[in-house]
């Protein structure tokens, strides 16, 4: 049984604490499912709501490569200068205006049993109360034979960077139900996310795991069951149920990116400086990012994904009237209006990045069909309906470069929003 719209919204207001009472979830159509609508005038630039995820988890390769983040809220734990030193490969890298770094190492705490790090006592307590009692490996944190470590190693051997999902998001779903006093409430909340047909689920799993996905999915299901079986959600551990759970995370997981360096840069941008000092600082930052690109490439952030109930109700448009971001350097998602939104108007975000949105209708549809299994009928796509179903030479070259440089699962999942 699915939770009502009122239940979902009340949950988000209670958990996030800053959701605005300016939206409601409505059923749109059998093709689109639910949608999020404004109930009052929302001005351009206004924050529509702030939402905390039901669960979130850092990507496993991202964590393995020392992108240090809070194990609960994904807040970056490195000082901005430490972050710059690691990303540039220059241990002596010094940042001006170090006072602008917001990282508070004096507040960091670790789990006394397995030593995973949190940005604060509040996050450590929240994780303990929701799921970490089940997932804490204790002194077996580095034991390769521990069931959770076997599961994570199997996932890393299948799903390589750039990452778009994590088996630990599913693990935290199960652990949350295991620890909950009111298990049915959490099961209802997780059931809010969109469901797909069996054929569509197979397409999603294939996209995530590759051509040998059936054997790999069964391996993951067996390890997942050994580590986490829970009678209250026994259907999640059957072959069909596990595929459905996998597809749920694959289509609804919202990318989360955090960076102490990015926060420092934003703070530098806000400084009131003399023109000469501003030019000098901007030149320094430009060179810093060039050095990072040369040493690290595009992997700048602590990265993970989360399940957001309200955000998952936002349908796609190639001309969105809202966008998502993570300006607090943690997993709190902000949805902001890109233009005035009238009462009764649907709030739409884009599942495509800026460059993808500028491509032809045919190319946009190809990306959306392959990764989200729907055909877009937004105003822009309808206006371009008479265009030929061909991809320009320039776009074909871009797609070839992407396919050569990325594994086939690279597009899946919502666009990772810059912090």
């Amino acid at each position: 049984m699915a939770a009502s719209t009122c239940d979902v919204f009340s949950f988000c207001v209670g958990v996030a604490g800053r959701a605005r009472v300016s939206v409601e979830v409505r059923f749109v159509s059998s093709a689109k499912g639910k949608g999020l609508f404004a109930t009052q005038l929302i001005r351009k630039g206004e924050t529509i709501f702030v939402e905390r995820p039901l669960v979130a988890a850092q990507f496993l390769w991202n964590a393995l490569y020392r992108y240090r983040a809070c194990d609960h809220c994904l807040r970056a734990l490195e000082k901005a200068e430490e972050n710059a030193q690691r990303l540039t490969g220059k241990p002596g890298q010094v940042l001006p205006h170090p006072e602008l770094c917001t990282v508070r190492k004096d507040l960091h705490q670790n789990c006394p049993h397995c030593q995973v790090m949190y940005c604060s006592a509040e996050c450590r307590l929240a994780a303990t109360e929701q799921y970490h009692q089940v997932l804490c490996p204790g002194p077996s944190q580095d034991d390769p034979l521990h069931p959770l470590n076997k599961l994570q190693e199997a996932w890393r051997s299948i799903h390589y960077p750039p990452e778009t999902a994590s088996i630990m998001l599913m693990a935290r779903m199960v652990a949350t139900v295991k620890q909950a006093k009111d298990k049915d409430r959490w099961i209802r909340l997780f059931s809010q996310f969109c469901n797909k047909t069996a054929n569509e689920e197979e397409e999603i799993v294939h996209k995530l795991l590759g051509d040998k996905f059936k054997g790999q999915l069964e391996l993951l299901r067996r390890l997942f069951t050994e580590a986490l079986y829970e009678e209250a959600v026994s259907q999640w551990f059957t072959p069909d149920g596990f595929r459905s759970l996998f597809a749920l995370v694959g289509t609804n997981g919202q990318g989360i990116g955090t960076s102490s360096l990015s926060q420092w840069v934003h703070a530098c941008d806000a400084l009131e400086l003399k023109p000469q000092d501003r030019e000098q600082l901007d030149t320094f930052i430009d060179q810093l990012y060039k050095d990072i690109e040369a040493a690290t490439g595009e992997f700048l952030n602590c990265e993970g994904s989360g399940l957001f109930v309200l955000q998952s109700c936002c349908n796609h448009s190639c001309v969105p009237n809202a966008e998502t971001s993570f300006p607090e350097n943690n997993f709190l998602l902000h949805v902001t209006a890109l233009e005035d939104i009238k009462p009764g108007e649907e709030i739409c975000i884009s599942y495509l990045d800026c460059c993808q949105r500028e491509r032809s209708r045919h190319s946009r549809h190809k990306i959306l069909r392959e990764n989200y299994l729907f055909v877009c009928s937004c105003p822009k796509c309808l206006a371009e309906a008479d265009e030929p179903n061909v991809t320009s030479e320039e776009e074909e070259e871009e797609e070839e470069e992407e396919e050569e440089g990325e594994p086939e699962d690279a597009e899946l999942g919502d666009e990772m929003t810059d912090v």
Side-chain angles (χ1 to χ4, degrees):
M1 173 183 168
S4 69
T5 297
C6 182
D7 288 340
V8 174
F9 189 74
S10 297
F11 176 85
C12 291
V13 171
V15 174
R18 281 176 283 170
R20 295 175 53 85
V21 186
S22 59
V23 298
E24 67 179 9
V25 181
R26 298 181 195 165
F27 178 76
V28 180
S29 66
S30 56
K32 292 182 72 173
K34 294 174 292 189
L36 198 65
F37 292 79
T39 58
Q40 65 186 57
L41 177 64
I42 303 171
R43 295 293 185 187
K44 178 181 178 179
E46 186 176 356
T47 299
I48 302 170
F49 63 85
V50 180
E51 184 177 9
R52 185 187 303 258
L54 297 184
V55 287
Q58 186 177 6
F59 293 148
L60 291 178
W61 279 104
N62 190 259
L64 190 68
Y65 280 115
R66 297 187 298 115
Y67 287 77
R68 297 179 55 233
C70 173
D71 197 58
H72 182 64
C73 78
L74 274 68
R75 183 184 298 277
L77 297 178
E78 289 177 307
K79 288 275 192 180
E81 190 167 271
E82 293 174 321
N83 194 197
Q85 290 168 352
R86 179 173 57 80
L87 293 176
T88 60
K90 299 178 179 180
Q93 178 71 64
V94 176
L95 297 185
H97 304 287
E99 73 282 356
L100 297 180
C101 177
T102 58
V103 174
R104 292 283 307 277
K105 288 198 168 188
D106 56 309
L107 298 179
H108 295 179
Q109 292 194 6
N110 59 3
C111 169
H113 307 293
C114 68
Q115 309 307 313
V116 297
M117 290 297 298
Y118 299 99
C119 67
S120 63
E122 290 77 14
C123 274
R124 182 178 64 80
L125 181 61
T128 300
E129 290 182 345
Q130 183 179 337
Y131 56 80
H132 190 65
Q133 293 175 56
V134 168
L135 297 179
C136 180
S140 301
Q141 172 76 356
D142 299 318
D143 180 1
L145 298 180
H146 187 280
L148 281 174
N149 290 337
K150 288 167 65 178
L151 177 65
Q152 292 179 74
E153 181 56 34
W155 175 258
R156 279 193 294 264
S157 71
I158 295 168
H159 189 70
Y160 289 96
E163 300 168 273
T164 56
S166 172
I167 195 76
M168 293 311 293
L169 196 62
M170 297 163 61
R172 289 188 178 183
M173 292 172 69
V174 174
T176 294
V177 174
K178 270 182 172 289
Q179 283 192 210
K181 292 181 180 178
D182 187 351
K183 298 182 188 301
D184 288 341
R185 173 174 173 264
W186 280 98
I187 293 170
R188 286 197 303 272
L189 287 165
F190 288 133
S191 74
Q192 286 295 299
F193 297 97
C194 70
N195 296 312
K196 300 290 183 183
T197 66
N199 286 339
E200 288 174 329
E201 288 174 353
E202 283 218 349
E203 286 187 52
I204 296 163
V205 175
H206 183 190
K207 190 71 178 177
L208 278 169
L209 299 184
D211 291 336
K212 299 178 181 178
F213 71 94
K214 290 186 178 178
Q216 292 169 333
L217 188 66
E218 179 55 28
L219 169 64
L220 290 171
R221 186 185 72 84
R222 179 173 57 78
L223 293 172
F224 194 76
T225 303
E226 289 174 3
L228 294 161
Y229 183 78
E230 166 58 41
E231 185 63 33
V233 284
S234 58
Q235 71 277 13
W236 288 356
F237 296 88
T238 66
D240 287 348
F242 188 67
R243 184 193 62 214
S244 296
L245 188 64
F246 216 96
L248 181 154
V249 168
T251 51
N252 293 282
Q254 162 69 46
I256 300 170
T258 65
S259 167
S260 54
L261 180 61
S262 176
Q263 293 286 301
W264 174 83
V265 170
H266 287 318
C268 286
D269 290 342
L271 287 174
E272 294 185 6
L273 300 172
K274 296 176 181 177
Q276 183 178 350
D277 293 336
R278 167 56 61 193
E279 183 179 355
Q280 185 177 3
L281 181 58
D282 288 347
T283 300
F284 173 85
I285 292 173
D286 289 344
Q287 185 59 50
L288 178 66
Y289 275 113
K290 288 177 183 176
D291 293 344
I292 289 173
E293 184 177 8
T296 311
E298 63 184 33
F299 299 102
L300 304 184
N301 298 338
C302 298
E303 295 181 354
S305 63
L307 294 176
F308 298 84
V309 176
L310 281 180
Q311 177 272 339
S312 73
C313 296
C314 294
N315 286 310
H316 164 81
S317 173
C318 297
V319 279
N321 57 12
E323 66 177 356
T324 60
S325 63
F326 296 90
E328 298 185 53
N329 196 34
N330 61 11
F331 63 14
L332 288 179
L333 177 143
H334 290 232
V335 174
T336 307
L338 292 173
E339 59 188 49
D340 288 354
I341 303 174
K342 299 174 182 177
E345 189 176 347
E346 185 174 6
I347 296 165
C348 293
I349 59 177
S350 180
Y351 301 168
L352 305 175
D353 63 33
C354 297
C355 294
Q356 291 169 336
R357 289 201 295 273
E358 295 306 313
R359 291 183 176 181
S360 67
R361 175 179 178 269
H362 175 70
S363 294
R364 298 196 307 273
H365 278 205
K366 182 174 182 287
I367 296 168
L368 292 168
R369 188 170 54 250
E370 289 180 355
N371 297 288
Y372 300 97
L373 310 183
F374 72 87
V375 176
C376 183
S377 58
C378 73
K380 182 175 182 178
C381 287
L382 292 177
E384 298 174 355
D386 293 332
E387 290 186 358
N389 288 330
V390 294
T391 302
S392 69
E393 290 184 13
E394 185 178 336
E395 289 176 343
E396 284 179 352
E397 289 174 3
E398 289 178 4
E399 288 176 5
E400 287 174 5
E401 287 175 5
E402 288 174 0
E403 289 172 2
E404 289 173 3
E406 299 178 353
E408 65 175 12
D409 63 355
E411 297 270 18
L412 194 66
D414 286 350
E415 174 188 347
M416 180 73 73
T417 309
D418 289 338
V419 249

